[in-house]
Amino acid sequence: MPESRKKPIRVAVADKNPLIRAALKQILSEDDRFVLAHVASGCEEFLDNVDRDPVEVGVIGWIIGPCDGRFILDHLNSLSCAPRIIVYTGDVNSIVPAQAMRHGGAGFVSKSEQPEVLLDTIAAVAAGRMVFPYIDVRTIYDNPLTTLTRRELEVLSDLASGRTNKQIARDLDVSLNTVKFHVRNLFQKLGVNSRGQAISMYLRS
């Protein structure tokens, strides 16, 4: 009897550019290693999709509507069945791969690479590997945000996306006082006195 074929890797995609979404649909449909479970144009849609219908690997842009890849990564870090995330971006900022790694990403691929590089990276990440270009790992933790807990980072990410304390409490299913407690703690750790200062530090980091 021939060896049974492995199940295809379930993949989810999120990108603000409709042309990129269409291209990813095409290249994933042509490779029988993968099945595309769902496609999103924004970060919240992506998070809703993977919460409702879990996948093994997510391929996301770095800037997605009002959010960025850190918002998705910070929110997925608290989930037990979260997909492994590959950041797929045309952003030429050299710190983006380090940011993706520090926030829990599993891989990084530039949009300037050939499609085969992305496909092979998806397969490698699904197999449990991390795939990044060269990064000076000393720079990953040379940042005050590394003093924050995962929950504090999640709250800060929400603040940077324009959410109020009430909205954050509802989204995280915690009390308003708990959110205020996290906000006070992260202000203290970052040495800032306002949301604006905290958000500015988050966006610059």
Side-chain angles (χ1 to χ4, degrees):
M1 290 287 290
E3 187 178 324
S4 59
R5 192 169 191 168
K6 290 182 179 179
K7 291 176 65 175
I9 299 162
R10 287 172 52 78
V11 181
V13 164
D15 198 285
K16 65 180 181 179
N17 188 327
L19 295 178
I20 296 296
R21 295 197 300 272
L24 290 174
K25 284 182 187 178
Q26 181 67 29
I27 65 171
L28 286 165
S29 69
E30 293 173 349
D31 192 318
D32 60 9
R33 290 178 293 176
F34 313 110
V35 59
L36 181 58
H38 33 73
V39 179
S41 59
C43 49
E44 291 194 347
E45 182 186 3
F46 175 83
L47 290 170
D48 287 342
N49 285 345
V50 298
D51 182 56
R52 185 185 67 254
D53 183 21
V55 297
E56 294 166 78
V57 178
V59 178
I60 66 170
W62 187 243
I63 303 298
I64 312 173
C67 316
D68 64 14
R70 289 174 296 191
F71 178 88
I72 290 176
L73 291 166
D74 291 346
H75 278 67
L76 291 177
N77 279 335
S78 60
L79 301 181
S80 58
C81 60
R84 296 173 64 79
I85 297 296
I86 296 166
V87 172
Y88 182 58
T89 181
D91 193 322
V92 296
N93 191 326
S94 60
I95 69 168
V96 172
Q99 289 285 319
M101 181 183 287
R102 188 166 64 81
H103 286 263
F108 177 93
V109 178
S110 169
K111 287 177 179 173
S112 63
E113 297 279 6
Q114 292 297 313
E116 292 76 16
V117 174
L118 175 62
L119 296 174
D120 289 344
T121 299
I122 295 172
V125 163
R129 293 192 281 278
M130 294 181 70
V131 183
F132 284 88
Y134 171 77
I135 295 173
D136 184 348
V137 294
R138 293 171 299 180
T139 66
I140 295 175
Y141 299 102
D142 185 20
N143 189 296
L145 295 188
T146 60
T147 63
L148 303 184
T149 65
R150 282 186 175 182
R151 179 62 89 184
E152 288 163 355
L153 274 171
E154 195 172 13
V155 169
L156 181 54
S157 177
D158 277 338
L159 292 177
S161 296
R163 285 171 171 75
T164 65
N165 285 358
K166 285 184 179 179
Q167 290 172 321
I168 296 171
R170 184 193 63 224
D171 292 347
L172 300 181
D173 195 24
V174 298
S175 71
L176 182 58
N177 284 336
T178 298
V179 173
K180 290 179 179 178
F181 171 77
H182 288 313
V183 171
R184 280 197 306 271
N185 277 354
L186 69 89
F187 278 15
Q188 234 177 11
K189 289 180 179 180
L190 297 179
V192 300
N193 300 309
S194 70
R195 286 177 179 236
Q197 290 175 334
I199 291 168
S200 177
M201 185 175 291
Y202 177 79
L203 296 176
R204 289 199 316 269
S205 67

